[in-house]
């Protein structure tokens, strides 16, 4: 009788244990343990691979976006009908097409990555970029079609692909990163943007030098050799994208997507073990899928989450900060050639000779190289060194404050600085400082923070909204720059544009105050959702 009772008790304990394993509490604990494994993982070769694969995309993005800064001058010599330069609408069209495409791509791919998966979308956007870049390089004139119009269309399509790269690269790098090094990993990815801008100027310089003899021998304005130069400059942007494509298509899905959106904790736990050891995800196609019951993305849930001020203010903060920053970043970045010309930096003169064509193109490339080396690249790596110690918010605040001061000086002292050769050099120094504090400041942090502060089911969508807000600023900046720059004479309004940039930098200080500090905090902690009880229990088997 006693042995029978003891057997019943043992059976009861075993039954209770089995129930516990499938209970919400056990599954919830298993999820948190798996997430902790990612957050505390030692830095490995897989993290290096993720960084390199994402970085090559950003290198290509920056090259493709900012090469047009140099190519626009080349296009002016070939297709400009007045003064051997593109008219205002043509110049605006080829510069603004990519940011408009970015805006579309960021919203579209940000949403799709939360629906279909990070892996499934990663690589698709790169293929769009490669095809569109190649298409630009082959654009031609026809009786019914303007070559500038064709380039505008291709640059819009390319912009859609580039736009998709922003949320995907940010989310993939953040969701695979360990908490203690997440800021540095994401910054290293974004820093490739500086090298892309440098490469565009360097390739431009090499191409112009290679065609020097042909340009000097050709009759002014050296249409044929200059036509070769811009096509090579733009078309060579395909190469890094092609190299990265295979790795993009074969990168594993992030365990956080598998766990929180596909709600497959078992597969996510296996992925974490495999990815952190071998760098690959192994899926058993015959395995029964055990999904859990947890929060699912929906319009109602999205509205409920962002209707809370503590969550909405973060989205407002990330979106407006990016908007304000891109007003100046793209206002300068896509018009640096105009600004360098306005202050007569390296200007060869205005004589209508092929030598002037060569000197102009050469000086524009050298000027952009100087701006990249002196300001852009050091700024990214300064952020890299301190972002996980100082934090994101102090860097962003410092950057916006420094930029406000610099633009005030550049705007209000513009005429005084340009009265002498020494003043011009001082202006270029200040210009390099703005590039430095954009990147050792909000240009880096507006990329990093939106990849961290939202829950997994909306992380890519909200990142896309934030990035698209930035590109809206870029579009407004380009339209405003083109409309205002020549008021009162050629490039006469540049000083007032600098003053306008100062105002937007000041507003960025206040939007930064809406943001939380994200250093050394897990992505789940930053989501403002209680992680205990996140999983309610098993859902169903498929």
């Amino acid at each position: 009788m006693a042995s029978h009772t003891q057997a019943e008790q043992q059976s009861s304990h075993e039954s209770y244990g089995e129930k516990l394993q499938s209970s919400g509490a056990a599954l919830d604990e298993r999820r948190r343990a798996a997430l902790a494994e990612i957050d505390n993982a030692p830095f490995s070769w897989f993290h290096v691979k993720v960084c390199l694969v994402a970085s090559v995309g950003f290198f290509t993005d920056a090259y493709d976006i900012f090469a047009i800064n140099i190519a626009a001058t080349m296009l002016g010599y070939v297709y400009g009908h007045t003064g051997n330069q593109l008219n205002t609408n043509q110049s605006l069209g080829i510069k603004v097409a990519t940011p408009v495409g970015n805006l579309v791509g960021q919203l579209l791919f940000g949403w799709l990555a939360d629906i279909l998966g990070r892996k499934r979308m990663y690589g698709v956007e790169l293929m769009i970029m490669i095809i569109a870049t190649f298409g630009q390089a082959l654009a031609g004139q026809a009786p019914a079609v303007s070559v500038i119009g064709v380039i505008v269309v291709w640059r819009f399509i390319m912009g859609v692909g580039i736009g998709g790269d922003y949320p995907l690269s940010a989310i993939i790098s953040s969701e695979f990163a360990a908490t203690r090094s997440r800021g540095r990993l994401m910054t290293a990815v974004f820093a490739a943007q500086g090298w892309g801008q440098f490469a565009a100027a360097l390739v431009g310089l090499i191409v112009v030098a290679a065609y020097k003899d042909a340009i000097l021998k050709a009759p002014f304005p050296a249409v044929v050799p200059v036509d070769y130069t811009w096509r090579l400059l733009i078309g060579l942007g395909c190469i890094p994208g092609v190299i990265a494509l295979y790795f993009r298509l074969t990168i594993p899905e992030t365990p956080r997507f598998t766990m929180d959106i596909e709600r497959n904790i078992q597969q996510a736990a296996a992925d974490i073990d495999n990815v952190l050891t071998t760098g690959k995800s192994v899926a058993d196609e015959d395995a029964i899928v055990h999904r859990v019951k947890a929060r699912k993305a929906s319009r109602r849930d999205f509205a409920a989450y962002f209707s809370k001020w503590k969550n909405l203010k973060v989205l407002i903060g990330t979106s407006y900060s990016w908007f304000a920053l891109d007003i100046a970043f793209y206002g300068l970045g896509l018009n640096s050639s105009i600004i360098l010309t306005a202050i007569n930096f390296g200007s060869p003169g205005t004589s209508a000779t092929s030598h002037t064509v060569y000197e102009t193109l050469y000086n524009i490339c050298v000027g952009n190289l100087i701006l990249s080396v002196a300001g852009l690249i050091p700024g990214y790596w300064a952020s890299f060194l301190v972002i996980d110690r100082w934090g994101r918010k102090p860097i962003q605040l410092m950057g916006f404050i420094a930029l406000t001061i610099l633009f005030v000086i550049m705007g209000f002292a513009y005429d005084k600085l340009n009265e002498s050769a020494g003043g011009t050099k001082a202006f270029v120094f200040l210009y390099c400082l703005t590039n430095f504090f954009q990147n050792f400041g909000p240009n880096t942090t507006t990329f990093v923070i939106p990849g961290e502060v939202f829950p997994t089911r909306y992380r890519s969508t909200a990142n896309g909204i934030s990035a698209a807000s930035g590109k809206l600023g870029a579009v407004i900046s380009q339209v405003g720059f083109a409309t205002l720059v020549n008021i009162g004479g050629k490039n006469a309004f540049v000083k007032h544009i600098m003053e306008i940039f100062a105002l937007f930098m000041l507003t960025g200080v206040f939007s930064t105050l809406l943001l939380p500090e994200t250093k050394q905090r897990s992505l789940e902690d930053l989501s403002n959702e209680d992680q205990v009880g996140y999983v309610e229990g098993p859902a169903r088997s498929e």
Side-chain angles (χ1 to χ4, degrees):
M1 184 74 174
S3 62
H4 180 67
T5 303
Q6 189 175 3
E8 286 180 342
Q9 288 176 341
Q10 183 176 353
S11 175
S12 175
H13 282 305
E14 289 174 354
S15 177
Y16 175 78
E18 291 172 359
K19 288 180 180 178
L20 183 63
Q21 289 301 310
S22 63
S23 71
L27 290 168
D28 194 54
E29 177 62 31
R30 189 177 184 187
R31 171 181 175 272
R32 283 183 278 124
L35 291 170
E37 194 172 346
I38 302 174
D39 290 338
N40 299 316
F43 193 77
S44 66
W45 169 246
F46 176 72
H47 292 109
V48 175
K49 179 184 175 182
V50 170
C51 181
L52 291 175
V53 171
S55 295
V56 173
F58 263 95
F59 176 93
T60 307
D61 295 349
Y63 183 102
D64 291 342
I65 290 174
F66 293 100
I68 200 64
N69 183 28
I70 300 168
T73 303
M74 298 173 176
L75 287 165
Y77 283 120
V78 181
Y79 300 107
H81 300 299
T82 304
N84 298 302
Q85 61 184 9
L86 300 178
N87 64 41
T88 299
N89 289 334
Q90 289 174 326
S91 179
L92 175 61
I94 62 172
K95 290 178 181 178
V96 83
T98 302
V100 171
N102 291 163
L103 193 155
V104 174
Q106 285 157 348
L107 292 174
L108 177 63
F109 280 93
W111 173 67
L112 288 175
D114 278 341
I115 301 297
L116 301 177
R118 285 72 160 127
K119 173 183 171 61
R120 197 171 294 180
M121 291 293 102
Y122 213 37
V124 173
E125 89 290 5
L126 194 57
M127 287 188 277
I128 294 172
M129 289 161 53
I130 293 167
I131 293 168
T133 303
F134 193 66
Q136 285 175 74
L138 297 179
Q141 185 84 18
V145 180
S146 161
V147 65
I148 301 300
V150 174
I151 293 172
V152 168
V153 171
W154 278 121
R155 288 194 67 79
F156 169 80
I157 296 170
M158 182 188 76
V160 173
I162 292 173
D165 205 32
Y166 274 74
L168 283 163
S169 289
I171 298 312
I172 286 174
S173 55
S174 75
E175 291 186 348
F176 275 125
T179 301
R180 64 182 174 278
S181 59
R182 187 176 62 238
R184 291 194 298 276
L185 182 67
M186 296 180 73
T187 302
V189 169
F190 195 60
Q193 189 180 72
W195 292 111
Q197 290 177 259
F198 174 83
L202 181 62
V203 170
L205 183 64
I206 292 170
V207 171
V208 169
Y211 279 87
K212 177 180 179 179
D213 291 340
I215 293 172
L216 294 178
K217 291 177 182 177
F220 180 84
V223 170
V224 175
V226 173
D227 199 38
Y228 280 111
T229 61
W230 80 260
R231 293 180 189 276
L232 284 169
L233 173 61
I234 295 292
L236 288 171
C238 290
I239 294 175
V242 171
I243 293 171
L245 185 58
Y246 168 77
F247 299 100
R248 288 257 173 133
L249 295 173
T250 56
I251 200 167
E253 182 57 87
T254 70
R256 281 184 162 93
F257 178 86
T258 305
M259 190 179 308
D260 284 357
I261 297 179
E262 292 187 333
R263 294 170 294 122
N264 187 347
I265 293 178
Q266 182 176 340
Q267 180 63 51
D271 286 347
I272 292 168
D273 292 334
N274 289 323
V275 164
L276 294 178
T277 53
T278 67
K280 296 180 179 179
S281 173
V282 180
D284 182 359
E285 295 181 358
D286 297 324
I288 297 174
V289 177
H290 296 286
R291 301 201 189 280
V292 300
K293 188 177 181 182
R295 299 181 183 98
K296 290 180 65 176
S298 66
R299 291 182 181 178
R300 179 176 295 180
D301 181 70
F302 183 90
Y305 180 82
F306 285 106
S307 65
K308 297 176 181 176
W309 174 243
K310 66 178 182 179
N311 301 324
L312 180 61
K313 73 175 183 180
V314 175
L315 183 59
I316 293 172
T318 57
S319 298
Y320 186 82
S321 295
W322 210 328
F323 172 86
L325 179 275
D326 275 5
I327 289 279
F329 185 74
Y330 281 87
L332 292 180
L334 293 181
N335 296 289
S336 57
S337 299
I338 293 175
I339 295 170
L340 290 171
T341 301
I343 62 172
N344 296 313
F345 181 73
S347 177
T350 58
S351 58
T353 65
S354 294
H355 186 269
T356 302
V357 174
Y358 171 75
E359 287 294 318
T360 299
L361 296 179
Y362 180 87
N363 288 339
I364 286 172
C365 294
V366 171
N368 279 280
L369 277 175
I370 292 170
L371 294 178
S372 295
V373 173
L376 287 169
I377 294 172
Y380 288 112
W381 293 103
S383 290
F384 175 84
L385 291 174
V386 301
I387 194 165
D388 281 319
R389 284 183 293 165
W390 283 13
R392 289 60 153 161
K393 193 170 181 178
I395 292 175
Q396 185 161 311
L397 278 171
M398 175 203 65
F400 271 129
I401 291 169
L403 288 168
T404 302
I405 295 168
L406 287 168
F407 280 122
V408 166
I409 296 170
M410 292 168 69
F412 288 97
Y414 182 87
D415 292 330
K416 189 70 175 176
L417 288 169
N418 288 295
E419 288 178 353
S420 64
T424 297
K425 291 178 182 178
F427 185 92
V428 173
F429 174 72
L430 291 171
Y431 194 16
C432 289
L433 276 182
T434 63
N435 284 328
F436 177 80
F437 282 108
Q438 281 175 334
N439 295 319
F440 185 33
N443 192 39
T444 298
T445 54
T446 53
F447 171 81
V448 173
I449 295 172
E452 300 177 306
V453 291
F454 303 107
T456 301
R457 64 189 184 281
Y458 299 125
R459 186 168 292 126
S460 187
T461 301
N463 186 290
I465 292 170
S466 303
S469 299
K471 292 307 163 287
L472 177 61
V475 171
I476 292 172
S477 179
Q478 286 305 294
V479 173
F481 197 105
T483 304
L484 299 173
V485 68
N486 292 321
I487 292 177
K490 185 174 176 61
N491 298 327
F493 207 77
V494 167
K495 60 182 178 181
H496 299 303
I497 290 175
M498 297 294 173
E499 294 161 8
I500 293 169
F501 288 166
L503 176 61
F504 278 101
M505 296 306 96
L506 181 61
T507 63
V509 172
F510 297 105
S511 63
T512 301
L513 299 177
L514 296 173
L515 300 173
E517 178 50 64
T518 63
K519 71 170 183 177
Q520 307 306 324
R521 294 176 63 187
S522 73
L523 298 181
E524 284 63 41
D525 180 35
L526 290 166
S527 70
N528 285 332
E529 292 186 318
D530 189 359
Q531 298 303 301
V532 177
Y534 188 91
V535 175
E536 298 174 17
R540 66 180 189 277
S541 297
E542 296 179 356

